[in-house]
Amino acid sequence: MIVTNAVTPPPEQALAFFSAEEDGPFVMVNLLKFKPLATYADGSDAALSGRDAYLRYGMAVRAHIERVGGRAGYAGPVTGLMLGEVEELWDMVALAEYPSLAAVREMVSHPDYQAISVHRTAGLAGQLNIKTKGSLA
């Protein structure tokens, strides 16, 4: 199995994801890996950790998830691995429930969301976003 962390999907991967047949609510499992230090395009906050930059995003994104009818779920640090083997553990796991693919598309295209995404980009070394069927209930 090849596992590749990425910060943003290549256009063809994003197109395939958002072009999939709409099948209702889903939970996105986010496996997050942080940069040691945040890297903002404008050079600001050079001493801020990647984790802290991402947490700025994490605190603000909840309102965007709720605005499109979703809800943020569990988020917490990865502390160990009981089964399987990876070269390096992810730093954090976060769950978010969305009512539809259209809701996610609406959220990520909104200018206010795009404004906060600079913190996500500054803080993340990479991540996996795994779409699962079902709800957090």
XYZ file of all heavy atoms in Angstrom, residues 6 8-20:
102
model
N -0.829 14.753 1.285
C -0.877 15.929 0.419
C -1.633 17.025 1.154
O -2.420 16.754 2.055
C -1.562 15.602 -0.895
N -3.200 19.720 -0.754
C -4.336 19.973 -1.643
C -4.363 18.889 -2.712
O -3.310 18.431 -3.163
C -4.247 21.359 -2.323
O -3.011 21.449 -3.015
C -4.334 22.481 -1.312
N -5.560 18.490 -3.122
C -5.633 17.438 -4.139
C -5.268 17.981 -5.517
O -5.560 19.140 -5.829
C -7.095 17.007 -4.106
C -7.832 18.192 -3.594
C -6.886 18.910 -2.667
N -4.648 17.145 -6.347
C -4.441 17.557 -7.738
C -5.811 17.775 -8.386
O -6.799 17.161 -7.969
C -3.710 16.380 -8.382
C -3.425 15.404 -7.306
C -4.161 15.810 -6.073
N -5.893 18.646 -9.389
C -7.191 18.951 -10.005
C -7.983 17.715 -10.431
O -9.194 17.644 -10.204
C -6.821 19.812 -11.210
C -5.513 20.436 -10.842
C -4.803 19.419 -9.988
N -7.313 16.725 -11.007
C -8.042 15.539 -11.464
C -8.620 14.743 -10.297
O -9.692 14.159 -10.399
C -7.164 14.656 -12.365
C -5.928 14.078 -11.720
C -4.708 15.002 -11.679
O -4.786 16.150 -12.138
O -3.664 14.552 -11.172
N -7.936 14.729 -9.152
C -8.450 14.017 -7.986
C -9.644 14.769 -7.390
O -10.643 14.161 -7.011
C -7.344 13.834 -6.946
C -7.722 12.906 -5.812
C -6.561 12.628 -4.874
O -5.539 13.304 -4.886
N -6.717 11.625 -4.052
N -9.552 16.091 -7.315
C -10.672 16.891 -6.814
C -11.890 16.742 -7.724
O -13.020 16.584 -7.247
C -10.259 18.355 -6.699
N -11.664 16.777 -9.025
C -12.763 16.629 -9.988
C -13.434 15.270 -9.831
O -14.669 15.173 -9.801
C -12.247 16.816 -11.416
C -13.299 16.703 -12.520
C -14.357 17.785 -12.371
C -12.634 16.790 -13.882
N -12.658 14.221 -9.693
C -13.222 12.880 -9.514
C -14.028 12.800 -8.215
O -15.126 12.233 -8.188
C -12.109 11.831 -9.521
N -13.513 13.395 -7.145
C -14.202 13.360 -5.852
C -15.548 14.069 -5.950
O -16.587 13.529 -5.578
C -13.334 13.990 -4.763
C -13.970 13.966 -3.407
C -13.919 12.829 -2.626
C -14.634 15.081 -2.913
C -14.510 12.802 -1.371
C -15.237 15.061 -1.667
C -15.179 13.924 -0.889
N -15.532 15.291 -6.460
C -16.756 16.091 -6.496
C -17.699 15.684 -7.630
O -18.854 16.074 -7.635
C -16.432 17.580 -6.564
C -15.933 18.119 -5.246
C -14.635 18.580 -5.118
C -16.753 18.145 -4.136
C -14.171 19.065 -3.906
C -16.307 18.622 -2.913
C -15.008 19.087 -2.798
N -17.237 14.886 -8.570
C -18.088 14.404 -9.661
C -18.749 13.072 -9.327
O -19.569 12.575 -10.104
C -17.269 14.236 -10.943
O -16.776 15.476 -11.375
N -18.388 12.495 -8.198
C -18.973 11.207 -7.811
C -20.483 11.354 -7.629
O -20.993 12.453 -7.378
C -18.330 10.712 -6.520
